[in-house]
Amino acid sequence: MLHAVILAGGGGTRLWPLSRTQFPKQFLSLLGEQTLLQQTVLRLGTMVSPQCVWIVTGKDQQFMVQTQLAALPGMRAGTAHVLTEPVGRNTAAAIGLAAIHIQRSDPAAVMIVLPADHWIERHSAFVSLLQEAAALAERDCLVTLGIIPDRPETGYGYIKRGSTLTQQPGQTTAYQVERFVEKPSLPVAQEYVASGMYYWNAGIFLWRATTILQAIATYMPALHAGLIEIAQSLEQENADTTLATIYQRLESVSIDYGVLEKSSRLVVVPADIGWSDLGEWTAIHRLSPQDERGNTLTGNIVNLENDNSFIYSSRRPVAAIGLKNLVVVDTEDALLVCAQERVQEVKTVVQRLQAQGAEVADTPHTVQRPWGTYTVLEEGTNFKVKRIVVAPGASLSLQMHHHRSEHWVVVRGVAQIVNGERELLLQANQSTYIPQETKHRLANPGTEPLEIIEVQTGPYLGEDDIVRFADIYGRTSPAVS
């Protein structure tokens, strides 16, 4: 049976400031109404049943994955499997983790491994190619799709094909892989494209779960030993503790470097499917609708004689005059202005902001939580103002703060509140005051979103000032509310 493994970790820093490490690009709607993760699931169509979809993500992103999956038709909550990594350890560990779970439920399974943040234009061709490549995987091959390049690209890795694989009449052409090549210079990339012997490495793979685990055992024995320990603990009460302990000691290695570059079983299937890696802003620009002068304009944009520019505003008016070959991305708390030929350096900007301890590097203006969202509207010395939106039926944890007091004003909806020994039911325009070191909880018992304004006061207002006593989402980290 076919199982789809979608890798949905990563921070997407080159698409900052829209993509942040706490809300990365795979959860954004960058091209179309659905998010990139949702598009990846929908692209599979009926080829893979919902019960055979496995999402590997970070523990802090688990609720985002579950929320976005539940919004898809046929993907009610709990249908697909969500595997959480305690810490990121690159693709070899993520794929191995999925493989031990899949092998346990379906020993003959063929895995399709897909990144959650790619764009594929020709869906039918993609699905047909996966079905043909799955037949190769049934023969215990390690299969990778090689994207037929339509231009010299210096931002992608390449795969050089070797000898033709023996196939039955009518089957798709496949080749042994001669070697992997890291991101080349432009002249070298031009030579690769002209030769017809090289393909872009898209990170899309097919293989039996048993085959990839055998390959990991051969080429990454330490990882395989760790995976065996994890697999043996899956039925035990300490499974989560075992996973966390073992993951901490695993080496961070890609499946390409750790296994595929060393294996003689690796074959490449050429793919002409309209693929793009949505790794930086020029890719989004290229795939987005453009005006007659090559501009992509999103939001409230005043456009005066600009050329070949990507201009985005999340909220406020942005006036652009005479720009050429620029990327402008304006969010509520950050502005990026970048020459298109230097978009790869956006990652460096994020690294500098992180070194400075700037929250804007990692945290979006509106923060997602299992129960809803919060947005910081204003903050200064000894105060912070938030807008909190709680989804119907959702509840924040029962919690307490040592260093701050809070004032809650209901704007819309009905708020069910625990404030110390009191239980309150507040309507719009009603409020309550919560002193510091007082247990409290906010819940939405209604069928419409609950919106409140929270005013915090105190000498320290960090998100880590929290003691949690009970939480319906099973969170244990003290750093989230």
Side-chain angles (χ1 to χ4, degrees):
M1 187 178 296
L2 284 176
H3 292 248
V5 176
I6 299 174
L7 306 180
T13 53
R14 285 178 295 168
L15 287 178
W16 184 88
L18 267 190
S19 176
R20 315 280 175 101
T21 53
Q22 291 187 19
F23 197 65
K25 61 180 177 178
Q26 57 266 30
F27 303 114
L28 300 176
S29 301
L30 295 172
L31 295 169
E33 294 183 1
Q34 282 91 19
T35 68
L36 300 185
L37 171 62
Q38 290 172 327
Q39 289 174 350
T40 303
V41 174
L42 292 173
R43 203 173 287 135
L44 295 167
T46 59
M47 182 176 59
V48 178
S49 69
Q51 294 80 10
C52 293
V53 174
W54 302 74
I55 315 292
V56 185
T57 191
K59 63 178 182 179
D60 294 334
Q61 299 167 345
Q62 178 182 7
F63 73 90
M64 290 184 251
V65 171
Q66 292 169 332
T67 299
Q68 294 198 357
L69 290 181
L72 295 176
M75 279 283 182
R76 65 184 184 276
T79 301
H81 307 269
V82 181
L83 304 178
T84 58
E85 296 182 287
V87 291
R89 285 295 182 261
N90 216 314
T91 55
I95 290 169
L97 179 65
I100 61 172
H101 281 270
I102 292 172
Q103 184 188 42
R104 184 164 163 262
S105 63
D106 183 4
V110 170
M111 299 167 54
I112 305 170
V113 180
L114 303 163
D117 54 0
H118 289 179
W119 175 258
I120 293 174
E121 192 73 34
R122 293 185 278 281
H123 293 185
S124 296
F126 173 63
V127 170
S128 296
L129 197 62
L130 288 180
Q131 291 170 331
E132 294 176 8
L136 289 170
E138 294 277 5
R139 293 163 50 183
D140 288 334
C141 292
L142 302 174
V143 186
T144 181
L145 298 193
I147 305 301
I148 300 172
D150 58 6
R151 64 187 184 279
E153 176 61 61
T154 61
Y156 300 158
Y158 286 72
I159 300 169
K160 185 180 182 182
R161 78 185 193 203
S163 58
T164 305
L165 195 70
T166 302
Q167 291 277 75
Q168 298 296 322
Q171 291 183 323
T172 188
T173 303
Y175 302 91
Q176 298 286 346
V177 172
E178 183 173 313
R179 65 189 177 103
F180 284 79
V181 183
E182 291 300 317
K183 299 173 183 178
S185 64
L186 181 58
V188 173
Q190 290 170 335
E191 292 177 7
Y192 288 170
V193 175
S195 74
M197 299 288 289
Y198 291 82
Y199 306 106
W200 290 334
N201 181 8
I204 300 173
F205 311 111
L206 296 93
W207 42 54
R208 286 184 184 272
T210 53
T211 305
I212 191 61
L213 287 172
Q214 289 168 0
I216 290 173
T218 300
Y219 302 110
M220 301 186 69
L223 171 59
H224 187 262
L227 293 173
I228 294 300
E229 286 188 63
I230 293 170
Q232 291 172 343
S233 74
L234 291 179
E235 295 289 349
Q236 301 173 7
E237 292 184 359
N238 66 340
D240 290 343
T241 302
T242 301
L243 177 66
T245 301
I246 292 172
Y247 243 76
Q248 287 290 344
R249 68 173 189 247
L250 294 181
E251 188 179 3
S252 181
V253 180
S254 71
I255 195 72
D256 308 60
Y257 181 79
V259 174
L260 302 184
E261 293 182 10
K262 304 166 185 175
S263 176
S264 60
R265 292 180 179 271
L266 183 62
V267 300
V268 58
V269 174
D272 183 12
I273 53 177
W275 173 90
S276 289
D277 176 14
L278 303 181
E280 33 80 7
W281 284 114
T282 54
I284 306 298
H285 184 195
R286 186 178 66 252
L287 295 167
S288 299
Q290 300 175 11
D291 64 17
E292 66 280 1
R293 299 182 67 160
N295 300 302
T296 293
L297 309 173
T298 304
N300 190 359
I301 310 298
V302 180
N303 174 35
L304 295 180
E305 299 183 352
N306 300 293
D307 292 294
N308 193 39
S309 292
F310 181 92
I311 307 173
Y312 172 96
S313 174
S314 63
R315 186 172 182 178
R316 57 187 172 184
V318 170
I321 305 171
L323 303 184
K324 184 174 290 187
N325 302 325
L326 287 185
V327 171
V328 179
V329 181
D330 185 42
T331 66
E332 291 182 286
D333 59 345
L335 169 65
L336 170 71
V337 181
C338 176
Q340 289 194 359
E341 64 269 21
R342 300 186 66 176
V343 291
Q344 297 286 342
E345 297 175 58
V346 174
K347 185 175 183 179
T348 304
V349 171
V350 175
Q351 291 169 343
R352 290 195 181 184
L353 289 170
Q354 289 171 333
Q356 297 168 8
E359 288 189 4
V360 73
D362 302 304
T363 306
H365 187 61
T366 296
V367 177
Q368 307 288 322
R369 289 288 185 253
W371 43 261
T373 66
Y374 74 81
T375 305
V376 176
L377 303 177
E378 186 67 61
E379 60 183 317
T381 303
N382 295 338
F383 81 92
K384 182 184 290 185
V385 181
K386 287 183 178 180
R387 178 175 61 246
I388 296 177
V389 179
V390 184
S395 171
L396 282 68
S397 59
L398 179 65
Q399 57 188 251
M400 179 188 76
H401 311 295
H402 289 297
H403 304 290
R404 71 174 185 256
S405 301
E406 296 176 344
H407 301 254
W408 290 350
V409 181
V410 178
V411 176
R412 64 184 174 111
V414 178
Q416 186 176 23
I417 295 170
V418 173
N419 186 353
E421 299 301 320
R422 297 183 297 155
E423 294 190 11
L424 309 171
L425 201 64
L426 301 186
Q427 311 284 336
N429 297 321
Q430 294 182 316
S431 63
T432 189
Y433 166 68
I434 302 164
Q436 67 186 57
E437 299 194 329
T438 299
K439 289 185 181 181
H440 59 279
R441 186 202 293 270
L442 174 65
N444 180 0
T447 58
E448 300 295 329
L450 163 66
E451 183 175 350
I452 74 166
I453 298 299
E454 174 183 272
V455 180
Q456 303 176 0
T457 58
Y460 179 73
L461 305 174
E463 294 298 323
D464 56 348
D465 175 20
I466 181 172
V467 178
R468 183 175 288 109
F469 300 97
D471 181 56
I472 63 174
Y473 307 104
R475 295 167 299 166
T476 58
S477 170
V480 293
S481 54

